[in-house]
Amino acid sequence: MPVALRYVGSRLLAAVLVVWGAATCAFLVLQLVPGDPVDAVVGGNTLVDAEQREEIRHRYGLDDPLLVQYLSYLGRLAAGDLGDSYRLQQPVSAVLAEQLTPTVELALYATVLSIVLSVAVTVLTSGRARWPRRLAEFLELVVVSTPSFWFGIMLLTVFSFRLGWFPVSDSGDPGSLVLPVLTMALPIAAVLTQVMRDGLLTALEQPFALTARARGLKEHTVRSRHALRHAALPALTLAGWFTGTLLGGAVVVESVFARSGIGRVALDAVTGRDLPVVQGVVTLSAVAFVAMGAVVEALYAVADPRLRRRTGVAAA
């Protein structure tokens, strides 16, 4: 039990440090962005005089010293208060909650599709004839090297504008999810496939695979029930990391496909210098990374008994 408690405590401390570091970086970087945050509050209202601008600055604490602003920001963050949007005059938490569902839906579908594709391609190309593997490796390299915005535009051009198979933008139709999900999933699947293929080929040469064959197990059973599990461990870490990045990557995809979500909110907040919203998005992204890290570690413990013994989770 003490080992497990120390492990959980260290994980919680690491999670707090990650969120604190991300929030601090966001605060400091946004201080360097040119422009006056008061402009985001008043919008295009030219009737606001200098005295009113000073009142607004005082209301939001923008006239306080930088250290005071930072400590106040951390205090609100610790209490779960992300502040109020300058432009929308709403709590940032409400703004993010309203737009979170479309982005989470997109990210989950992309994650599932990328894992399914990577496993399927790995099993079909590992240890097979050279030309299918070479073709798969070439296509993976092309997909990984292609910028996501260009890839999304190409998918739109072919499958929406020319063939008319899918809606151009978010119309509420399930078909409108297909192209955005593909745009996000294919680059991830390409990287995961490369990692899993190398891991599978290495695992098939390990003593446990030779022992399984000596026991009379068929080759496809050795691959699917034994070697693939070992090959999936490194890919599992990458999958968790990629899933955490999908929240930020949604900025490009949601812009290309005119979808609502956290990405569009973040882009509008950056261009409008809505600092509380930007900080809220960064903090939310950090929490997503921490949550995915916890999920990956739990899956690792399930897949690898050695980790359970080392962390003491099994004893707990």
Side-chain angles (χ1 to χ4, degrees):
M1 180 69 73
V3 176
L5 287 177
R6 285 198 301 270
Y7 176 76
V8 173
S10 65
R11 295 294 90 192
L12 289 175
L13 178 60
V16 171
L17 290 177
V18 168
V19 175
W20 168 75
T24 299
C25 289
F27 177 85
L28 295 177
V29 169
L30 291 176
Q31 301 303 315
L32 302 177
V33 176
D36 189 349
V38 177
D39 294 335
V41 179
V42 301
N45 189 353
T46 59
L47 300 179
V48 178
D49 56 26
E51 183 178 351
Q52 291 173 318
R53 292 177 68 90
E54 288 303 318
E55 291 179 359
I56 294 173
R57 194 181 304 278
H58 179 71
R59 184 196 316 163
Y60 286 96
L62 298 174
D63 55 351
D64 293 332
L66 187 60
L67 179 59
V68 174
Q69 294 184 45
Y70 173 67
L71 294 177
S72 176
Y73 166 62
L74 289 183
R76 293 195 307 269
L77 190 62
D81 182 9
L82 298 177
D84 295 329
S85 168
Y86 291 161
R87 295 190 306 114
L88 302 177
Q89 300 297 306
Q90 298 179 25
V92 173
S93 56
V95 175
L96 298 182
E98 183 180 355
Q99 300 296 329
L100 185 61
T101 300
T103 300
V104 170
E105 181 182 42
L106 190 63
L108 288 179
Y109 283 134
T111 300
V112 172
L113 180 60
S114 63
I115 293 174
V116 171
L117 288 176
S118 62
V119 171
V121 175
T122 298
V123 173
L124 292 174
T125 59
S126 297
R128 308 298 182 182
R130 175 170 295 185
W131 71 265
R133 187 171 70 251
R134 295 302 183 191
L135 177 61
E137 291 173 350
F138 171 75
L139 293 177
E140 292 159 10
L141 181 61
V142 171
V143 171
V144 171
S145 304
T146 303
S148 57
F149 72 88
W150 188 87
F151 194 63
I153 291 173
M154 291 299 100
L155 290 177
L156 272 176
T157 302
V158 175
F159 295 104
S160 293
F161 297 143
R162 293 189 178 180
L163 298 178
W165 290 358
F166 303 104
V168 175
S169 59
D170 185 12
S171 60
D173 186 343
S176 63
L177 271 171
V178 174
L179 297 184
V181 168
L182 279 174
T183 302
M184 298 182 73
L186 288 181
I188 299 175
V191 176
L192 294 181
T193 302
Q194 293 172 348
V195 174
M196 289 187 66
R197 185 187 296 112
D198 291 341
L200 182 60
L201 293 175
T202 301
L204 289 172
E205 298 175 355
Q206 297 299 313
F208 74 86
L210 300 177
T211 303
R213 295 189 186 97
R215 288 165 46 198
L217 295 181
K218 295 182 179 180
E219 184 64 22
H220 70 84
T221 303
V222 176
R223 288 171 174 271
S224 59
R225 295 183 57 183
H226 298 280
L228 187 60
R229 185 178 67 176
H230 287 264
L233 291 177
L236 185 61
T237 301
L238 279 178
W241 184 83
F242 277 127
T243 303
T245 64
L246 289 180
L247 193 63
V251 174
V252 175
V253 174
E254 289 173 356
S255 298
V256 171
F257 293 95
R259 293 183 56 85
S260 59
I262 296 297
R264 291 291 297 274
V265 169
L267 183 62
D268 293 341
V270 170
T271 56
R273 196 176 164 79
D274 198 344
L275 305 187
V277 174
V278 177
Q279 292 168 341
V281 171
V282 172
T283 303
L284 180 62
S285 300
V287 171
F289 267 108
V290 169
M292 287 310 306
V295 171
V296 168
E297 288 195 8
L299 293 177
Y300 248 104
V302 172
D304 191 347
R306 296 171 299 178
L307 182 62
R308 294 200 295 270
R309 290 194 295 268
R310 186 163 61 249
T311 60
V313 175

